[in-house]
Amino acid sequence: MLAIDNAELTVARQTDEQRETRITAIIDQHGFNVRVYLVAASGFFTDSYNLFATNVISPSLAYIYWNGETSTHNERDINVATLSGSLLGMLLFGHLCDRYGRQKLYGIELLIVIVATLGMAQASAGFQSSSGAHSMSLRSWIIFWRFVLGVGIGAEYPLSAVITAEWASKKSRARMLAAVFMMQPLGQLMAWLVGLGALKGISRSRGLSPDETSYDVAAPVIDSVWRCVIGVGAFPAFLAIVARLSIPETPRYTLLIQQNDAQAQKDAVRVYGSSSVGDTRAGPATAGGLKQAHVEVHNSGLGIDDVDGIAVVAGPSSAAVQPLRNTNDTTVVGPNNMPAAYDSTNGKSVLPKKKSKWRKRQRKDRKRIQQFTWPEIYHFFIDEGNWRLLAGTSLCWFILDVGFYGLGLNNPRTISKIWMSEPGKVTGSLPTWNSDFSDPDATIYKVLKQDIERSMITISIGSLIGSLVLLKLIKYVPRSTWLAWSFVVLAILFAVAGGSFFRAYQSGLHALTLALYIFSQLIFNLGPNTITFMIPAEVFPTRYRGTCHGIAAASGKLGSIVIQLILPVTHITRTGTEAAPFAYLLISFAVLMLFGALVAWAWIPDVQDARRGFAHAGHDGLEGASDDPKMRKSFSDRWEVPSKSLEVLGKGRVGVEISERPIGLRANLWRVYREAGEVVAVWRKEVRDMFAGRSS
C-alpha cells in the first residue's frame, strides 16, 4: 500500500449502488424521452399489426383455399402456430437479452418479422397437375411462416418493455411503458384499415364488384388482397430497424452487467444530453458539460489501494469527486491541482504507474458479472421468496390472455353473433369464410367489408379509448391495486354480459351485449392488458429483467393457446340459434377474472410510493391554502402516486416489502385478519365507552 503524504487527503470507494445512482441521476432528471419511445413503440406497433392481421386474412384464406369447409381447424392451426412461435420468442429473446445485452438483439427480431412476412406473402402451393394435385402444401407453408413470424413477434415483448423501462426516468417510466403498449390497439386498427383499403382499392382496380358471386372471378382478387395485407407489415419493421440503430445499450445493463461505468455514462449523455447533477450521494455524474458532483468525506485512514475508480480532490477538510474518462483512470490531486500523492521533498509523484498491478487487479475486479449461476438464482428466487413475483406476474398474464384472446383473435363469427338482432336465415352449415348468419348468400367482398367495419367498432373504439385514458391517469393510480380492481370490473362485465346474452341474443336487446363487449375492451386496455405488460419490466433486477418478463409474457401466450384449443370444442361460433355456449363462455371468463384479482392482490407488489397528497398545509390544514405560491402544489403533483425506482424494485421482496403490504396469499390473509381485528377492537372500545358514559 502506498502512503499518501497529505494532511487532509480522504479516499472514497463507490459501491454498485452508488455507481448505479450516478447513472440514474443523469436519467431521472429528464421526462418523457421521445427517441427511446419511438425505438420501442415502432417495433411493438409492427408486431401488433402482424399478429392481428390474422383476423383480416383468415376469411380470405378460407374462401380461396378451403372453400366449402365448415370446420375452423385450419384457422385454429394457423393461430396456434403463431402463438406458439410467440411463446418461444418471448422465452428465448427474453433470456438472450439478459445474457448478451439488449443492443445486440436490437433489430434481430424485426429481421425475423420481415423475412417471415415476405415469405408468407409469397407462399405458394407449387406446381399443379392436370388432376389438380399440387407439388407443395400451401397450408403447411402458411403455418411455417406464421410460426417464424410468431418468434419475431414474441421477441419484441421483453425487448420493448426492457428497453423502455431501463431508459426511462423514474417519473416518466409508467407513461412511456403505457404509451408503448398503446401500439397494440393502434397496430390492430391499422391492420383493419389496411385490409379495408386493400379490399376496396384492389377490387376497384381489378374490376371486382361487391355483388360478384363467381369464385373464379373473385378468388384471384381476394388472393391479392390478403397478400397485400401481410406484405405491408414489412414496411414498419424496416423503419423500426432504422430507429433501433440510433440508440446504444441501456446504461443500467452496461453498468451492472458489463461493469463499464464510463461507457454507461457516455451512453446516458448521448441519449439525454448534458445535464446538471447535484446528487451528493452518487459521486461523479459525467464529463462533457455536466457539473461536478461533490462528495464530502472525512479522513478515513485509507490508502491508495482503497481507491476504486474515482478521483478525489483533497482540501483542508473535504474532497471533491471529479469525473473520469473511465473507471480505471484514477487521479488524486491536492492543493493547486498538484498530485495528492506528491512527495514535496523530491518533486516526484508516488501514484502507481499506468500498467501497475493495482490497475490490473482493478480491471479483473470489474469483469462482467456471472448472472445465471445456480447459487445466485436459488438465493434470489427461492431463499428470498421472489418466485412469488414471477408466479404472480405470470399467472395474471395467463388469466388475462385467456379472456382477451378468447374474444379478440379469429373473432369474425363471435362478433357476428353479438351483432345479430333477429334469428338467422341459415338452415344448414355455412362455410367458414362466411360469418354473416343473417345472409348465407353474401359475397366474399361484402363479408370481408362487414367483418372489418364491425371489428373496428366493436374492438378498436373501446381498446383505444382505454389506452388513452390510462395514459392520462397512469401517474395517479396505484398500478397493482388498479390491476386487481380492473380484474373485478371485468368479472362483473362478463357476468352481466353472459347472463343478459340469453335474453339479448337475436333480439332488439343485442345492443346491450354489444355495449358490454365494447366496454370490456375498454377495461382490458385501461387495466390488466396494459399493466401486465408494465409490471414485469419493473419488479425484477436488471440481471433477470428480460428473462422474467419473457417468462411472464410467455405464460400469457400459453393462456391464449389454451383458449384457442378450447373454443372449437365449445361450438360458440357454429351455425344455429343457440345462445348458451357463448353465454356460458362469458360467465366462465367472469370466474377466471375473479381469480386473476385474487392473484394480483396477493402476489403483485406495490411499484409506487404513497400518494404525495398534501405536502404543504396552509390555513385550516388544507393543501394549497398557503399564501406563498411556492408552497402550493398543483392538482397533478398533489394526487400523483410516484413510481419507485428500478433500483429499489430490483431488490425483490427486500425492496417492496419495506413498510408495505407483504407478498404472498397467506401473508396478505393474515394481514387482513389482523387489521380486521384491530378495527373490531376499536369498535368494541367505542361501544364500551359509549355505554360507560351513559351509565355515569
Side-chain angles (χ1 to χ4, degrees):
M1 183 182 294
L2 296 173
I4 298 180
D5 188 14
N6 203 341
E8 294 289 339
L9 175 66
T10 58
V11 183
R13 176 187 296 275
Q14 284 184 303
T15 64
D16 282 345
E17 185 174 350
Q18 289 172 324
R19 291 160 54 222
E20 192 169 7
T21 304
R22 183 176 69 181
I23 299 301
T24 57
I26 301 173
I27 298 175
D28 283 347
Q29 59 189 307
H30 295 84
F32 194 102
N33 190 289
V34 177
R35 179 180 174 186
V36 173
Y37 167 70
L38 291 177
V39 167
S42 58
F44 206 74
F45 173 86
T46 300
D47 289 347
S48 176
Y49 174 94
N50 286 286
L51 176 62
F52 291 101
T54 186
N55 288 334
V56 182
I57 69 170
S58 290
S60 300
L61 294 174
Y63 176 79
I64 300 167
Y65 305 111
W66 309 301
N67 199 325
E69 290 192 15
T70 58
S71 172
T72 60
H73 70 279
N74 289 305
E75 291 92 334
R76 177 203 63 199
D77 294 345
I78 292 172
N79 288 331
V80 169
T82 307
L83 297 171
S84 299
S86 297
L87 188 153
L88 176 62
M90 291 166 175
L91 293 175
L92 179 62
F93 278 76
H95 177 71
L96 291 179
C97 78
D98 280 342
R99 185 172 289 276
Y100 299 109
R102 289 74 162 113
Q103 187 187 33
K104 290 183 179 179
L105 298 175
Y106 287 177
I108 293 179
E109 81 285 5
L110 295 173
L111 287 174
I112 295 174
V113 170
I114 292 172
V115 170
T117 297
L118 297 180
M120 182 174 175
Q122 302 175 75
S124 170
F127 175 77
Q128 182 178 6
S129 66
S130 58
S131 62
H134 292 274
S135 60
M136 294 188 297
S137 170
L138 179 69
R139 177 178 179 274
S140 298
W141 275 117
I142 291 176
I143 290 176
F144 169 76
W145 286 120
R146 288 296 291 184
F147 177 83
V148 176
L149 178 67
V151 173
I153 291 172
E156 187 63 34
Y157 276 72
L159 283 174
S160 293
V162 168
I163 290 170
T164 305
E166 292 183 358
W167 270 114
S169 62
K170 185 173 72 170
K171 62 185 177 183
S172 65
R173 187 178 71 237
R175 284 187 63 219
M176 288 182 67
L177 284 168
V180 167
F181 194 82
M182 191 173 67
M183 293 298 103
Q184 185 186 82
L186 281 175
Q188 192 175 22
L189 175 62
M190 184 57 64
W192 282 316
L193 290 174
V194 170
L196 185 61
L199 176 65
K200 291 185 175 182
I202 295 176
S203 297
R204 187 180 300 113
S205 66
R206 303 276 290 273
L208 178 64
S209 169
D211 298 318
E212 181 60 63
T213 58
S214 172
Y215 173 84
D216 293 333
V217 174
V221 179
I222 301 303
D223 188 66
S224 299
V225 170
W226 80 259
R227 292 178 190 274
C228 175
V229 172
I230 292 297
V232 167
F235 288 100
F238 278 116
L239 298 177
I241 289 178
V242 174
R244 300 213 164 170
L245 294 175
S246 68
I247 193 167
E249 181 62 83
T250 65
R252 285 181 168 93
Y253 187 89
T254 302
L255 176 71
L256 298 177
I257 309 303
Q258 296 177 342
Q259 296 286 292
N260 191 335
D261 305 47
Q263 188 62 46
Q265 284 187 214
K266 180 180 178 181
D267 292 340
V269 174
R270 174 181 167 188
V271 171
Y272 282 101
S274 298
S275 307
S276 177
V277 181
D279 191 340
T280 60
R281 298 169 302 167
T286 178
L290 299 188
K291 294 182 179 180
Q292 295 178 357
H294 290 79
V295 180
E296 199 171 294
V297 291
H298 298 288
N299 193 350
S300 61
L302 299 176
I304 192 67
D305 233 15
D306 297 294
V307 181
D308 189 12
I310 58 174
V312 182
V313 179
S317 61
S318 65
V321 179
Q322 303 289 340
L324 304 177
R325 277 180 287 189
N326 59 64
T327 56
N328 296 323
D329 182 12
T330 306
T331 305
V332 185
V333 296
N336 301 320
N337 291 326
M338 295 296 291
Y342 177 81
D343 189 343
S344 59
T345 61
N346 56 22
K348 295 181 179 180
S349 172
V350 295
L351 282 174
K353 300 294 183 180
K354 185 175 182 180
K355 296 183 179 180
S356 65
K357 292 182 179 179
W358 173 76
R359 289 189 180 279
K360 291 180 180 179
R361 189 183 72 224
Q362 189 187 42
R363 292 191 190 100
K364 183 177 181 180
D365 291 342
R366 286 290 175 86
K367 281 184 177 180
R368 177 191 177 96
I369 68 168
Q370 297 297 319
Q371 301 159 259
F372 296 100
T373 60
W374 174 245
E376 163 61 20
I377 293 174
Y378 188 89
H379 174 72
F380 181 77
F381 288 101
I382 306 302
D383 288 344
E384 295 186 356
N386 292 307
W387 65 268
R388 293 179 177 85
L389 303 181
L390 185 58
T393 53
S394 299
L395 275 174
C396 283
W397 212 328
F398 177 92
I399 292 167
L400 162 75
D401 277 5
V402 169
F404 182 75
Y405 283 92
L407 299 177
L409 194 65
N410 194 26
N411 60 359
R413 284 200 168 194
T414 302
I415 293 177
S416 180
K417 276 210 164 190
I418 295 173
W419 279 77
M420 291 184 68
S421 59
E422 58 184 21
K425 301 176 182 178
V426 180
T427 56
S429 297
L430 277 179
T432 54
W433 61 266
N434 189 355
S435 59
D436 191 351
F437 298 119
S438 62
D439 186 5
D441 298 321
T443 64
I444 182 61
Y445 183 100
K446 291 182 178 179
V447 168
L448 290 175
K449 183 174 180 291
Q450 178 177 268
D451 288 346
I452 293 172
E453 291 174 345
R454 286 179 172 179
S455 295
M456 287 193 292
I457 295 172
T458 310
I459 296 179
S460 291
I461 289 177
S463 59
L464 272 176
I465 292 176
S467 291
L468 289 171
V469 172
L470 183 65
L471 190 61
K472 184 65 176 178
L473 299 180
I474 192 66
K475 295 195 302 182
Y476 310 112
V477 294
R479 294 193 283 282
S480 59
T481 303
W482 173 233
L483 175 62
W485 280 108
S486 59
F487 271 123
V488 173
V489 174
L490 282 173
I492 296 172
L493 284 174
F494 285 140
V496 174
S500 64
F501 192 69
F502 288 101
R503 175 68 180 84
Y505 181 53
Q506 295 182 346
S507 72
L509 295 175
H510 76 285
L512 172 63
T513 305
L514 186 61
L516 292 171
Y517 195 97
I518 294 173
F519 194 56
S520 70
Q521 295 298 320
L522 186 150
I523 298 299
F524 266 130
N525 276 34
L526 181 60
N529 198 27
T530 303
I531 296 177
T532 53
F533 171 81
M534 297 172 59
I535 288 182
E538 299 181 283
V539 299
F540 297 105
T542 302
R543 63 188 184 277
Y544 300 133
R545 186 168 290 124
T547 300
C548 292
H549 194 283
I551 292 173
S555 300
K557 284 299 173 285
L558 180 61
S560 65
I561 293 171
V562 169
I563 194 62
Q564 289 298 309
L565 295 175
I566 291 176
L567 285 178
V569 180
T570 63
H571 303 294
I572 64 169
T573 59
R574 68 183 177 183
T575 304
T577 59
E578 302 87 351
F582 186 66
Y584 286 132
L585 178 71
L586 292 174
I587 293 172
S588 66
F589 282 169
V591 176
L592 195 62
M593 295 302 113
L594 287 177
F595 181 64
L598 177 64
V599 172
W601 172 74
W603 282 354
I604 300 298
D606 290 324
V607 295
Q608 294 154 279
D609 293 317
R611 195 183 303 276
R612 289 178 176 176
F614 305 107
H616 305 291
H619 301 294
D620 299 326
L622 296 178
E623 212 259 303
S626 173
D627 294 330
D628 185 358
K630 295 182 179 179
M631 298 297 290
R632 300 192 186 117
K633 298 182 70 180
S634 66
F635 173 86
S636 60
D637 289 336
R638 186 188 315 166
W639 293 102
E640 182 178 346
V641 188
S643 299
K644 298 179 186 292
S645 68
L646 290 183
E647 290 66 46
V648 170
L649 294 172
K651 296 177 182 178
R653 294 180 67 191
V654 175
V656 299
E657 286 190 342
I658 299 175
S659 71
E660 302 286 351
R661 63 180 180 87
I663 306 299
L665 181 59
R666 287 183 298 177
N668 275 286
L669 289 175
W670 173 248
R671 175 179 63 86
V672 171
Y673 175 79
R674 186 175 62 252
E675 292 175 353
E678 293 173 356
V679 171
V680 171
V682 171
W683 178 77
R684 292 176 63 182
K685 182 177 182 301
E686 291 177 350
V687 171
R688 285 197 303 268
D689 292 344
M690 180 181 64
F691 281 106
R694 288 182 178 180
S695 61
S696 61

